[in-house]
Amino acid sequence: MSKRLDRPHLIWERTLHGNPQPSIWHTVDFGVGGHKQANIIAMYELTEQEAGMPIAALERIYPCPRDEEDQPEKVKLGDAA
């Protein structure tokens, strides 16, 4: 079941090869059993202005966290409603 987000989010997630990759989500869908949630590294809510920017520009504003200390608080399934 997907949930529509109030604003788009920049999501850093791990690919199947373990590499971080950014994407923009307008809905939250963690898949059956929440398997996609385990791959999320960071989730940033975008402003209206940021929502129109290319991903390359957003990567500079919100770089992928490298350490646990750099990561924002983990987003719980219910928080992204």
Side-chain angles (χ1 to χ4, degrees):
M1 178 184 207
S2 297
K3 292 184 180 182
R4 184 99 181 129
L5 297 169
D6 291 335
R7 290 184 171 183
H9 283 64
L10 175 70
I11 307 292
W12 280 99
E13 57 186 324
R14 293 223 179 272
T15 65
L16 293 175
H17 300 293
N19 301 319
Q21 177 178 324
S23 60
I24 295 179
W25 288 12
H26 297 274
T27 59
V28 173
D29 182 3
F30 291 121
V32 176
H35 73 278
K36 289 183 187 178
Q37 187 173 11
N39 294 331
I40 293 177
I41 300 167
M43 186 172 186
Y44 301 99
E45 184 174 6
L46 301 176
T47 65
E48 193 172 310
Q49 181 181 6
E50 291 170 336
M53 297 171 73
I55 289 181
L58 294 171
E59 285 181 70
R60 290 189 295 275
I61 297 169
Y62 301 108
C64 182
R66 298 192 188 277
D67 300 334
E68 284 292 321
E69 293 176 8
D70 292 341
Q71 292 187 20
E73 288 186 38
K74 292 285 184 184
V75 176
K76 296 181 187 95
L77 186 59
D79 292 347

Coordinates of all heavy atoms in Angstrom, one line a residue:
M1 N 0.8 -1.2 0.0 CA 0.0 0.0 0.0 C 0.9 1.2 0.0 O 1.8 1.4 0.8 CB -0.9 0.0 1.2 CG -1.8 1.2 1.4 SD -2.6 1.0 2.9 CE -4.1 1.9 2.6
S2 N 0.6 2.2 -0.9 CA 1.4 3.4 -1.0 C 0.7 4.5 -0.2 O -0.5 4.6 -0.1 CB 1.5 3.8 -2.5 OG 2.2 2.9 -3.2
K3 N 1.5 5.4 0.3 CA 1.0 6.6 1.0 C 1.6 7.8 0.3 O 2.8 7.9 0.0 CB 1.5 6.6 2.5 CG 0.9 5.6 3.3 CD 1.3 5.7 4.7 CE 0.7 4.7 5.6 NZ 1.0 4.8 7.0
R4 N 0.7 8.7 -0.1 CA 1.1 10.0 -0.7 C 1.8 10.9 0.3 O 1.3 11.0 1.4 CB -0.1 10.7 -1.3 CG 0.2 11.9 -2.1 CD 0.2 11.6 -3.5 NE 0.6 12.8 -4.3 CZ 1.5 12.8 -5.2 NH1 2.2 11.8 -5.5 NH2 1.8 13.9 -5.8
L5 N 2.9 11.4 0.0 CA 3.7 12.3 0.8 C 3.1 13.8 0.6 O 2.7 14.1 -0.5 CB 5.2 12.3 0.5 CG 5.9 11.0 0.8 CD1 7.3 11.0 0.2 CD2 5.9 10.7 2.2
D6 N 3.2 14.6 1.7 CA 2.7 16.0 1.6 C 3.7 16.7 0.6 O 3.2 17.6 -0.1 CB 2.8 16.7 2.9 CG 1.7 16.1 3.9 OD1 0.7 15.6 3.4 OD2 1.9 16.2 5.1
R7 N 4.9 16.4 0.7 CA 5.9 17.0 -0.2 C 6.9 15.9 -0.7 O 7.0 14.9 -0.1 CB 6.8 18.0 0.6 CG 6.1 19.2 1.0 CD 7.1 20.2 1.7 NE 6.4 21.4 1.9 CZ 7.0 22.5 2.4 NH1 8.3 22.4 2.8 NH2 6.4 23.6 2.6
P8 N 7.5 16.2 -1.9 CA 8.4 15.2 -2.4 C 9.6 15.1 -1.4 O 9.9 16.0 -0.7 CB 8.9 15.8 -3.7 CG 7.9 16.8 -4.1 CD 7.3 17.3 -2.8
H9 N 10.3 13.9 -1.4 CA 11.4 13.6 -0.6 C 12.6 13.1 -1.4 O 12.4 12.4 -2.4 CB 11.1 12.5 0.4 CG 10.3 13.0 1.6 ND1 9.0 13.5 1.5 CD2 10.6 13.1 2.9 CE1 8.5 13.8 2.6 NE2 9.5 13.6 3.5
L10 N 13.8 13.6 -1.1 CA 15.0 13.0 -1.7 C 15.4 11.8 -0.8 O 15.5 12.0 0.4 CB 16.2 14.0 -1.7 CG 17.5 13.4 -2.2 CD1 17.4 13.2 -3.7 CD2 18.6 14.3 -1.8
I11 N 15.5 10.7 -1.4 CA 15.7 9.4 -0.7 C 17.1 8.9 -1.2 O 17.4 8.8 -2.4 CB 14.7 8.3 -1.1 CG1 13.3 8.8 -0.8 CG2 15.0 7.0 -0.3 CD1 13.0 9.1 0.6
W12 N 18.0 8.6 -0.2 CA 19.2 7.9 -0.5 C 19.0 6.5 -0.1 O 18.6 6.2 1.0 CB 20.4 8.5 0.3 CG 20.9 9.7 -0.2 CD1 20.7 11.0 0.2 CD2 21.9 9.8 -1.3 NE1 21.4 11.9 -0.6 CE2 22.1 11.2 -1.5 CE3 22.5 8.9 -2.1 CZ2 23.0 11.7 -2.5 CZ3 23.4 9.4 -3.1 CH2 23.6 10.7 -3.2
E13 N 19.1 5.6 -1.1 CA 18.9 4.2 -0.8 C 20.1 3.3 -1.4 O 20.8 3.8 -2.3 CB 17.6 3.7 -1.4 CG 17.4 3.9 -2.9 CD 16.0 3.6 -3.4 OE1 15.4 2.7 -2.9 OE2 15.6 4.3 -4.3
R14 N 20.2 2.2 -0.8 CA 21.3 1.2 -1.3 C 20.7 0.4 -2.5 O 19.6 -0.1 -2.4 CB 21.7 0.3 -0.2 CG 22.4 1.0 0.9 CD 23.6 0.2 1.4 NE 24.3 1.0 2.4 CZ 25.1 2.0 2.2 NH1 25.6 2.2 1.0 NH2 25.6 2.7 3.2
T15 N 21.5 0.3 -3.5 CA 21.1 -0.5 -4.7 C 21.4 -2.0 -4.3 O 22.0 -2.3 -3.2 CB 22.0 -0.1 -5.9 OG1 23.3 -0.5 -5.7 CG2 21.8 1.3 -6.3
L16 N 21.1 -2.9 -5.2 CA 21.4 -4.3 -5.0 C 22.9 -4.6 -4.8 O 23.3 -5.5 -4.2 CB 20.8 -5.1 -6.2 CG 19.3 -5.1 -6.3 CD1 18.9 -5.9 -7.6 CD2 18.7 -5.8 -5.1
H17 N 23.7 -3.7 -5.4 CA 25.1 -3.8 -5.3 C 25.7 -3.1 -4.1 O 26.9 -3.1 -3.9 CB 25.8 -3.3 -6.6 CG 25.4 -4.1 -7.8 ND1 25.7 -5.4 -8.0 CD2 24.6 -3.7 -8.8 CE1 25.1 -5.8 -9.2 NE2 24.5 -4.7 -9.7
G18 N 24.9 -2.5 -3.3 CA 25.3 -1.9 -2.0 C 25.7 -0.4 -2.2 O 26.2 0.2 -1.3
N19 N 25.6 0.1 -3.4 CA 26.0 1.5 -3.7 C 24.8 2.5 -3.3 O 23.7 2.2 -3.6 CB 26.4 1.7 -5.1 CG 27.5 0.8 -5.5 OD1 28.5 0.6 -4.8 ND2 27.4 0.2 -6.7
P20 N 25.1 3.7 -2.7 CA 24.1 4.6 -2.5 C 23.6 5.3 -3.8 O 24.4 5.5 -4.7 CB 24.7 5.7 -1.6 CG 26.2 5.5 -1.7 CD 26.4 4.1 -2.2
Q21 N 22.3 5.5 -3.9 CA 21.7 6.1 -5.1 C 20.6 7.0 -4.6 O 19.7 6.6 -3.9 CB 21.2 5.0 -6.0 CG 20.5 5.6 -7.2 CD 20.0 4.4 -8.1 OE1 20.7 3.4 -8.3 NE2 18.9 4.6 -8.7
P22 N 20.6 8.3 -5.2 CA 19.5 9.2 -4.8 C 18.3 9.0 -5.7 O 18.4 8.6 -6.9 CB 20.1 10.5 -5.0 CG 21.0 10.3 -6.1 CD 21.6 8.9 -5.9
S23 N 17.1 9.2 -5.2 CA 15.9 9.3 -6.0 C 14.9 10.2 -5.3 O 15.1 10.5 -4.2 CB 15.3 7.9 -6.2 OG 15.0 7.3 -5.0
I24 N 13.9 10.6 -6.1 CA 12.9 11.5 -5.5 C 11.6 10.7 -5.4 O 11.2 10.0 -6.4 CB 12.7 12.7 -6.4 CG1 13.9 13.6 -6.3 CG2 11.4 13.5 -5.9 CD1 13.9 14.8 -7.1
W25 N 11.0 10.6 -4.2 CA 9.8 9.9 -4.0 C 8.6 10.9 -3.8 O 8.8 11.9 -3.0 CB 9.9 9.0 -2.8 CG 10.8 7.8 -2.9 CD1 11.6 7.5 -3.9 CD2 10.8 6.7 -2.0 NE1 12.2 6.3 -3.7 CE2 11.8 5.8 -2.5 CE3 10.2 6.4 -0.8 CZ2 12.1 4.6 -1.9 CZ3 10.5 5.2 -0.2 CH2 11.5 4.4 -0.7
H26 N 7.5 10.6 -4.4 CA 6.3 11.4 -4.1 C 5.3 10.6 -3.3 O 4.3 11.1 -2.7 CB 5.6 11.8 -5.4 CG 6.5 12.7 -6.3 ND1 6.5 14.1 -6.1 CD2 7.4 12.4 -7.2 CE1 7.4 14.6 -6.9 NE2 8.0 13.6 -7.6
T27 N 5.5 9.3 -3.2 CA 4.7 8.4 -2.4 C 5.7 7.5 -1.7 O 6.8 7.3 -2.1 CB 3.8 7.5 -3.3 OG1 4.5 6.7 -4.2 CG2 2.7 8.3 -4.0
V28 N 5.2 6.9 -0.6 CA 6.0 5.9 0.2 C 5.4 4.6 0.0 O 4.3 4.3 0.2 CB 6.0 6.3 1.7 CG1 6.7 5.2 2.5 CG2 6.7 7.6 1.9
D29 N 6.2 3.7 -0.5 CA 5.8 2.3 -0.7 C 7.0 1.4 -0.4 O 8.0 1.3 -1.2 CB 5.4 2.0 -2.2 CG 4.9 0.6 -2.4 OD1 4.8 -0.2 -1.5 OD2 4.6 0.3 -3.6
F30 N 7.0 0.8 0.8 CA 8.1 0.0 1.2 C 8.0 -1.5 0.7 O 8.8 -2.3 1.1 CB 8.3 0.0 2.7 CG 8.7 1.4 3.2 CD1 7.9 2.1 4.1 CD2 9.9 1.9 2.8 CE1 8.3 3.3 4.6 CE2 10.3 3.2 3.3 CZ 9.5 3.9 4.2
G31 N 7.0 -1.8 -0.1 CA 6.9 -3.1 -0.6 C 6.3 -4.1 0.4 O 6.1 -3.7 1.6
V32 N 6.2 -5.3 0.0 CA 5.6 -6.3 0.9 C 6.6 -6.6 2.0 O 7.8 -6.9 1.8 CB 5.4 -7.6 0.0 CG1 4.9 -8.8 0.9 CG2 4.4 -7.4 -1.1
G33 N 6.1 -6.5 3.2 CA 6.9 -6.8 4.4 C 7.9 -5.7 4.7 O 8.8 -5.9 5.5
G34 N 7.9 -4.6 4.0 CA 8.7 -3.4 4.3 C 10.2 -3.7 3.8 O 11.1 -3.1 4.3
H35 N 10.4 -4.6 2.8 CA 11.7 -4.9 2.4 C 12.5 -3.7 1.9 O 13.7 -3.6 2.0 CB 11.7 -6.0 1.4 CG 11.3 -5.7 0.0 ND1 9.9 -5.6 -0.3 CD2 11.9 -5.3 -1.1 CE1 9.8 -5.2 -1.5 NE2 11.0 -5.0 -2.1
K36 N 11.9 -2.7 1.3 CA 12.6 -1.5 0.8 C 13.0 -0.6 1.9 O 14.0 0.1 1.7 CB 11.7 -0.8 -0.2 CG 11.4 -1.4 -1.5 CD 10.6 -0.5 -2.4 CE 10.2 -1.2 -3.7 NZ 9.3 -0.4 -4.5
Q37 N 12.4 -0.6 3.0 CA 12.7 0.3 4.1 C 14.1 0.0 4.6 O 14.8 0.9 5.0 CB 11.7 0.1 5.3 CG 11.9 1.1 6.4 CD 10.8 1.1 7.4 OE1 10.0 0.1 7.4 NE2 10.8 2.0 8.3
A38 N 14.6 -1.2 4.6 CA 15.9 -1.6 5.1 C 17.0 -1.0 4.2 O 18.1 -0.8 4.6 CB 16.1 -3.1 5.1
N39 N 16.7 -0.7 2.9 CA 17.6 -0.1 2.0 C 17.8 1.4 2.1 O 18.6 2.0 1.4 CB 17.3 -0.5 0.6 CG 17.5 -2.0 0.4 OD1 18.3 -2.7 1.0 ND2 16.7 -2.6 -0.5
I40 N 16.9 2.1 2.8 CA 16.9 3.5 2.9 C 18.0 4.0 3.8 O 18.1 3.5 4.9 CB 15.6 4.1 3.3 CG1 14.5 3.8 2.3 CG2 15.7 5.6 3.6 CD1 13.1 4.3 2.6
I41 N 18.9 4.9 3.3 CA 20.0 5.4 4.1 C 19.6 6.7 4.7 O 19.8 7.0 5.9 CB 21.2 5.7 3.2 CG1 21.7 4.4 2.5 CG2 22.3 6.3 3.9 CD1 22.7 4.6 1.4
A42 N 18.9 7.6 3.9 CA 18.4 8.9 4.4 C 17.2 9.3 3.6 O 17.0 8.9 2.5 CB 19.5 9.9 4.3
M43 N 16.4 10.2 4.3 CA 15.2 10.7 3.7 C 15.0 12.1 4.0 O 15.0 12.5 5.2 CB 14.0 9.9 4.2 CG 12.7 10.1 3.6 SD 11.5 8.9 4.2 CE 10.1 9.3 3.3
Y44 N 15.0 13.0 3.0 CA 15.0 14.5 3.2 C 13.7 15.0 2.6 O 13.5 14.9 1.4 CB 16.2 15.2 2.6 CG 17.5 14.7 3.2 CD1 18.3 13.8 2.5 CD2 18.0 15.2 4.4 CE1 19.5 13.3 3.0 CE2 19.2 14.8 4.9 CZ 19.9 13.8 4.2 OH 21.1 13.4 4.7
E45 N 12.9 15.7 3.4 CA 11.7 16.4 2.8 C 12.2 17.6 2.0 O 13.0 18.4 2.5 CB 10.8 16.8 3.9 CG 9.5 17.5 3.4 CD 8.5 17.7 4.5 OE1 8.8 17.6 5.7 OE2 7.4 18.2 4.2
L46 N 11.7 17.8 0.8 CA 12.1 18.9 0.0 C 11.2 20.1 0.1 O 10.0 19.9 0.2 CB 12.2 18.5 -1.5 CG 13.1 17.3 -1.8 CD1 13.0 16.9 -3.2 CD2 14.6 17.6 -1.4
T47 N 11.7 21.3 0.0 CA 10.9 22.5 -0.1 C 10.3 22.6 -1.5 O 10.7 21.9 -2.4 CB 11.7 23.8 0.2 OG1 12.7 23.9 -0.9 CG2 12.5 23.7 1.5
E48 N 9.4 23.5 -1.6 CA 8.7 23.7 -2.9 C 9.8 24.0 -4.0 O 9.7 23.5 -5.1 CB 7.6 24.8 -2.8 CG 6.7 24.8 -4.0 CD 5.6 25.8 -3.8 OE1 4.9 25.7 -2.7 OE2 5.3 26.6 -4.7
Q49 N 10.7 24.9 -3.6 CA 11.8 25.3 -4.6 C 12.7 24.1 -4.9 O 13.0 23.9 -6.1 CB 12.6 26.4 -4.0 CG 13.7 26.9 -4.9 CD 14.5 28.1 -4.3 OE1 14.3 28.4 -3.1 NE2 15.4 28.6 -5.1
E50 N 13.1 23.4 -3.9 CA 13.9 22.2 -4.1 C 13.3 21.1 -5.0 O 13.9 20.4 -5.7 CB 14.4 21.6 -2.8 CG 15.3 22.5 -2.0 CD 15.5 22.0 -0.6 OE1 14.7 21.3 -0.1 OE2 16.6 22.3 0.0
A51 N 12.0 21.0 -4.9 CA 11.2 19.9 -5.6 C 11.4 20.1 -7.1 O 11.3 19.1 -7.8 CB 9.8 20.0 -5.2
G52 N 11.7 21.3 -7.6 CA 11.8 21.5 -9.0 C 13.3 21.4 -9.5 O 13.5 21.5 -10.7
M53 N 14.2 21.1 -8.6 CA 15.6 21.0 -8.9 C 16.0 19.7 -9.4 O 15.4 18.7 -9.1 CB 16.5 21.4 -7.7 CG 16.2 22.8 -7.2 SD 17.0 23.1 -5.6 CE 18.7 23.2 -6.1
P54 N 17.0 19.6 -10.3 CA 17.5 18.3 -10.7 C 18.2 17.5 -9.6 O 18.7 18.1 -8.6 CB 18.5 18.6 -11.8 CG 18.8 20.0 -11.8 CD 17.7 20.7 -10.9
I55 N 18.2 16.2 -9.7 CA 18.8 15.4 -8.6 C 20.2 15.7 -8.4 O 20.7 15.7 -7.2 CB 18.6 13.9 -8.9 CG1 17.1 13.5 -8.7 CG2 19.5 13.0 -8.0 CD1 16.8 12.0 -9.0
A56 N 21.0 16.0 -9.4 CA 22.4 16.4 -9.3 C 22.6 17.6 -8.3 O 23.5 17.6 -7.5 CB 23.0 16.6 -10.6
A57 N 21.7 18.6 -8.4 CA 21.8 19.7 -7.6 C 21.4 19.3 -6.1 O 22.0 19.8 -5.2 CB 20.9 20.8 -8.1
L58 N 20.4 18.5 -6.0 CA 20.0 18.1 -4.7 C 21.1 17.2 -4.0 O 21.2 17.3 -2.8 CB 18.7 17.3 -4.7 CG 17.5 18.1 -5.2 CD1 16.3 17.2 -5.5 CD2 17.1 19.2 -4.2
E59 N 21.8 16.5 -4.8 CA 22.9 15.7 -4.2 C 23.9 16.6 -3.5 O 24.5 16.2 -2.5 CB 23.6 14.9 -5.3 CG 22.9 13.7 -5.8 CD 23.7 12.9 -6.8 OE1 24.7 12.3 -6.5 OE2 23.3 13.0 -8.0
R60 N 24.2 17.8 -4.0 CA 25.1 18.7 -3.4 C 24.5 19.3 -2.2 O 25.3 19.6 -1.2 CB 25.5 19.8 -4.4 CG 26.4 19.2 -5.6 CD 26.9 20.3 -6.4 NE 25.9 21.1 -7.2 CZ 25.4 20.7 -8.4 NH1 25.8 19.6 -8.9 NH2 24.5 21.5 -9.0
I61 N 23.2 19.5 -2.1 CA 22.6 20.1 -0.9 C 22.5 19.1 0.2 O 22.7 19.3 1.3 CB 21.2 20.7 -1.3 CG1 21.3 21.8 -2.3 CG2 20.5 21.1 -0.1 CD1 20.0 22.2 -2.9
Y62 N 22.1 17.9 -0.2 CA 21.9 16.7 0.7 C 22.8 15.6 0.3 O 22.3 14.6 -0.3 CB 20.4 16.3 0.7 CG 19.4 17.4 1.0 CD1 18.6 18.0 0.1 CD2 19.3 17.9 2.4 CE1 17.7 18.9 0.4 CE2 18.4 18.8 2.7 CZ 17.6 19.4 1.7 OH 16.7 20.4 2.1
P63 N 24.1 15.6 0.6 CA 24.9 14.5 0.2 C 24.6 13.3 1.0 O 24.0 13.4 2.1 CB 26.3 15.0 0.6 CG 26.1 16.1 1.5 CD 24.8 16.7 1.3
C64 N 24.9 12.1 0.5 CA 24.7 10.9 1.1 C 25.5 10.8 2.4 O 26.7 11.1 2.4 CB 25.0 9.7 0.2 SG 24.7 8.1 1.0
P65 N 24.8 10.5 3.6 CA 25.5 10.4 4.8 C 26.6 9.3 4.7 O 26.3 8.2 4.2 CB 24.5 10.0 5.8 CG 23.2 10.5 5.2 CD 23.4 10.3 3.8
R66 N 27.8 9.5 5.2 CA 28.8 8.5 5.1 C 29.0 7.7 6.4 O 29.4 6.6 6.4 CB 30.1 9.2 4.8 CG 30.1 9.9 3.5 CD 31.5 10.3 3.1 NE 31.5 11.1 1.9 CZ 31.4 10.6 0.6 NH1 31.3 9.3 0.4 NH2 31.3 11.4 -0.4
D67 N 28.6 8.3 7.6 CA 28.7 7.7 8.9 C 27.4 7.6 9.5 O 26.5 8.4 9.2 CB 29.7 8.4 9.8 CG 31.1 8.5 9.2 OD1 31.5 7.6 8.4 OD2 31.8 9.4 9.6
E68 N 27.2 6.7 10.5 CA 26.0 6.7 11.3 C 25.7 8.0 11.9 O 24.6 8.5 12.0 CB 26.1 5.6 12.4 CG 25.9 4.2 11.8 CD 24.5 3.9 11.3 OE1 23.5 4.4 11.9 OE2 24.4 3.3 10.3
E69 N 26.7 8.8 12.4 CA 26.6 10.0 13.1 C 26.0 11.1 12.1 O 25.3 12.0 12.6 CB 27.9 10.5 13.6 CG 28.4 9.7 14.8 CD 29.8 10.1 15.3 OE1 30.2 11.2 14.8 OE2 30.4 9.4 16.1
D70 N 26.3 11.0 10.8 CA 25.8 12.0 9.9 C 24.4 11.7 9.4 O 23.8 12.6 8.8 CB 26.7 11.9 8.6 CG 28.1 12.4 8.8 OD1 28.3 13.1 9.9 OD2 29.0 12.1 8.0
Q71 N 23.8 10.6 9.7 CA 22.5 10.2 9.2 C 21.4 11.0 10.0 O 21.5 11.1 11.2 CB 22.3 8.7 9.3 CG 23.2 8.0 8.3 CD 22.8 6.5 8.2 OE1 21.7 6.1 8.6 NE2 23.7 5.7 7.8
P72 N 20.4 11.4 9.3 CA 19.3 12.0 10.0 C 18.5 10.9 10.8 O 18.8 9.7 10.6 CB 18.4 12.5 8.9 CG 18.8 11.8 7.7 CD 20.2 11.4 7.9
E73 N 17.6 11.2 11.6 CA 16.9 10.2 12.4 C 16.2 9.3 11.4 O 15.7 9.7 10.3 CB 15.8 10.9 13.2 CG 16.4 11.6 14.4 CD 15.3 12.1 15.3 OE1 14.3 11.4 15.5 OE2 15.4 13.2 15.8
K74 N 16.2 8.0 11.7 CA 15.5 7.0 10.9 C 14.0 7.3 10.8 O 13.4 7.7 11.8 CB 15.7 5.6 11.5 CG 17.1 5.1 11.4 CD 17.5 4.7 10.1 CE 18.9 4.1 10.1 NZ 19.3 3.8 8.8
V75 N 13.5 7.2 9.6 CA 12.1 7.5 9.4 C 11.3 6.2 9.6 O 11.6 5.1 9.1 CB 11.8 8.0 8.0 CG1 10.4 8.1 7.7 CG2 12.6 9.2 7.7
K76 N 10.3 6.3 10.5 CA 9.5 5.1 10.8 C 8.4 5.1 9.8 O 8.0 6.1 9.3 CB 8.9 5.2 12.2 CG 10.0 5.1 13.3 CD 9.4 5.1 14.6 CE 10.5 5.3 15.7 NZ 10.7 6.6 16.1
L77 N 7.8 3.9 9.5 CA 6.8 3.8 8.5 C 5.6 4.7 8.7 O 5.2 5.4 7.8 CB 6.3 2.3 8.5 CG 5.3 1.9 7.4 CD1 5.9 2.1 6.1 CD2 4.9 0.5 7.6
G78 N 5.2 4.9 10.0 CA 4.1 5.8 10.3 C 4.4 7.3 10.1 O 3.5 8.1 10.0
D79 N 5.7 7.6 10.2 CA 6.1 9.1 10.2 C 6.0 9.7 8.8 O 5.9 10.9 8.6 CB 7.6 9.2 10.6 CG 7.7 8.9 12.1 OD1 6.7 8.8 12.8 OD2 8.9 8.8 12.5
A80 N 6.0 8.9 7.8 CA 6.0 9.4 6.4 C 4.6 9.5 5.8 O 4.5 9.6 4.6 CB 6.9 8.5 5.5
A81 N 3.6 9.6 6.6 CA 2.2 9.6 6.1 C 1.9 11.0 5.7 O 2.4 12.0 6.0 CB 1.3 9.2 7.2

